[in-house]
Amino acid sequence: MEKKIIPLVLFIALFPLIFSTFQASLASAEIRINEFEQNPLGDDKGNEWVELYSSTQVDLGGWRLVNGDNGSFPLNGTIDGYLVITFSSLWLDNSDEKVILFDGSNNSVDDTPLLSDSRNDAFAWNLCESEWKFLNSSKGGENRCDNSSGGGGGGGGNTSGNSTGGTGGSGGNSGKKNKNETIRVRSNLSTGSTEEAPTFAGNPKITFLEKPSSLNFGQVASVKANFLADADYPNLIFFFYTEPKRVVRDFSGEQVTKASRGASTAISVRAYSGEEIGFSLPLNIVENCNKYYPEGEYEISLAGFYLSGQEWKSFATVPNFPLSLSFNDELCLGTGQDLQVKANGKQAQQAQTAGASTQLLLRGKIIKSIGLWLLIALTAVALFIIWKKKLM
């Protein structure tokens, strides 16, 4: 009888370990590397980023990103939806770079192929199903995989699986930062010549395709817009702000003003004369747990800038829209920080935000509850068998 009891007791003892391993595997399956920018417009330092996506809430405690040079970047907080991790230093190489995501148990959850970007513009590598495409950045939102204006990151085409992506723009590039790379000039297909300098009119047509009419304080919405270029715009920056009551925040919780071109919620795109592009722009509203800002209607303003020579200029006319804001105490998590919550109720917190409230995904809670009751039941059965044995 004792021999029959031993396996049962061993199973009960090992069940918590088995269950925790299964739960970690479930969380890992929900999260992926969705997009990354290794050669952003302007200075790379402080502007490189990697975007993760998870369809459910996952605790990132103990998780980390690793680059092609085996550099490690620790993650924390939680993810539910899109999460943009911005690096304060030069962390991604412009050539032959890859990113690997490890979970808290040091298991490799996802990785990218070797990819390169020598263009120093608004394009980034986007995951489109199982294929990586070089497209206009959709930072903080759904990838625009139907955008046909993408190309290789410096001469190469798109890539899938773990094959090598576009090569660097100049020969002999070791993969390290090359700040002497030149911006590639668009070719004139009709003559085979090159345009030496773009022309700017500064009066394009910008329209909103999808925008919210009301939100709660502490929410993030994705606004879809359309841009019809009246001239060549190799470098464009867009972001939202409000004046005088600054209820719009970037992903680090900082106020966004009309001059905040470097805000983490700003996106960079490019368009040429006659080209029509669509883009998604995050609108991040302050959490406002202390109710400093009143409920009511606010005017959401779009800031649009283009680079003319060495000078950034703003568009003369850009569209605005009214937005009704309301309190929702459930979004105040008690952290004292402006956490971002997706418009559909999902939280999209910046990875560097410290002290975020750690929560387990809802599915994990359900499974944990079932597992706990199963453990109690097995323990009760084991005790009953031992008791019966003593009676015999």
Side-chain angles (χ1 to χ4, degrees):
M1 189 70 178
E2 291 181 356
K3 292 183 178 179
K4 293 182 178 179
I5 295 177
I6 291 175
L8 182 61
V9 173
L10 287 175
F11 176 78
I12 293 173
L14 294 175
F15 181 79
L17 177 61
I18 297 171
F19 176 71
S20 61
T21 303
F22 170 73
Q23 184 179 4
S25 300
L26 179 65
S28 299
E30 302 291 341
I31 186 170
R32 69 171 184 261
I33 302 172
N34 194 59
E35 184 179 0
F36 75 93
E37 172 63 277
Q38 65 198 110
N39 191 9
L41 178 65
D43 190 7
D44 286 7
K45 186 176 181 180
N47 293 309
E48 299 172 342
W49 50 268
V50 171
E51 178 187 87
L52 305 179
Y53 174 77
S54 177
S55 58
T56 56
Q57 191 176 86
V58 176
D59 176 19
L60 293 178
W63 290 54
R64 61 193 175 97
L65 293 173
V66 174
N67 61 20
D69 296 327
N70 206 32
S72 181
F73 186 90
L75 304 177
N76 56 55
T78 58
I79 177 176
D80 191 357
Y82 296 96
L83 174 65
V84 178
I85 301 105
T86 304
F87 307 105
S88 58
S89 61
L90 295 175
W91 200 75
L92 295 171
D93 292 338
N94 288 350
S95 298
D96 297 331
E97 182 62 281
K98 71 180 302 181
V99 180
I100 309 171
L101 176 65
F102 288 90
D103 63 16
S105 300
N106 205 34
N107 299 311
S108 176
V109 175
D110 193 18
D111 62 355
T112 71
L114 287 173
L115 298 170
S116 300
D117 176 4
S118 63
R119 287 163 56 153
N120 193 29
D121 59 10
F123 274 48
W125 285 103
N126 292 251
L127 180 62
C128 298
E129 296 181 353
S130 60
E131 183 179 9
W132 283 91
K133 295 185 177 181
F134 196 64
L135 305 170
N136 264 321
S137 169
S138 56
K139 181 180 180 181
E142 182 180 357
N143 293 349
R144 297 187 294 273
C145 293
D146 57 348
N147 189 337
S148 60
S149 61
N158 298 328
T159 182
S160 59
N162 287 325
S163 59
T164 304
T167 59
S170 58
N173 193 332
S174 64
K176 300 301 178 183
K177 293 293 175 183
N178 183 0
K179 306 314 294 180
N180 295 321
E181 291 178 349
T182 58
I183 300 175
R184 299 170 69 87
V185 183
R186 184 169 70 108
S187 295
N188 187 321
L189 299 180
S190 60
T191 63
S193 62
T194 349
E195 296 168 349
E196 294 183 357
T199 57
F200 299 98
N203 190 28
K205 183 180 180 182
I206 308 173
T207 54
F208 293 123
L209 303 179
E210 294 181 17
K211 62 183 186 298
S213 59
S214 62
L215 287 175
N216 292 319
F217 285 103
Q219 283 190 307
V220 169
S222 180
V223 180
K224 293 185 178 180
N226 191 76
F227 181 90
L228 179 58
D230 61 330
D232 288 346
Y233 297 102
N235 300 311
L236 292 165
I237 292 179
F238 292 105
F239 57 90
F240 287 118
Y241 71 98
T242 53
E243 296 288 354
K245 297 176 181 177
R246 298 174 178 173
V247 298
V248 176
R249 295 291 190 269
D250 67 7
F251 287 129
S252 63
E254 296 295 324
Q255 291 183 350
V256 179
T257 69
K258 188 176 181 179
S260 301
R261 291 198 309 272
S264 57
T265 49
I267 67 164
S268 300
V269 294
R270 66 176 182 178
Y272 293 104
S273 182
E275 184 180 7
E276 189 172 7
I277 65 170
F279 59 88
S280 298
L281 191 61
L283 173 60
N284 179 33
I285 304 299
V286 64
E287 194 175 41
N288 197 27
C289 290
N290 58 5
K291 298 185 178 180
Y292 176 81
Y293 299 101
E295 291 182 308
E297 188 172 282
Y298 291 78
E299 189 75 12
I300 304 300
S301 300
L302 176 68
F305 290 87
Y306 61 94
L307 188 61
S308 177
Q310 300 297 319
E311 180 183 1
W312 284 101
K313 295 184 178 180
S314 60
F315 291 119
T317 56
V318 288
N320 302 331
F321 66 91
L323 180 67
S324 178
L325 294 178
S326 305
F327 298 131
N328 186 348
D329 293 335
E330 293 181 0
L331 298 181
C332 295
L333 306 179
T335 63
Q337 302 186 32
D338 294 338
L339 301 181
Q340 281 69 50
V341 182
K342 299 295 289 182
N344 61 1
K346 292 183 176 181
Q347 180 181 341
Q349 178 195 347
Q350 187 74 353
Q352 292 93 334
T353 304
S357 176
T358 303
Q359 303 178 19
L360 294 175
L361 60 159
L362 180 60
R363 187 183 302 178
K365 287 183 178 179
I366 296 173
I367 296 175
K368 179 181 284 187
S369 179
I370 295 173
L372 180 61
W373 282 109
L374 181 60
L375 180 62
I376 293 173
L378 290 173
T379 304
V381 171
L383 292 174
F384 176 76
I385 293 174
I386 294 172
W387 176 72
K388 288 287 289 182
K389 178 179 177 297
K390 288 183 177 180
L391 290 179
M392 295 174 62

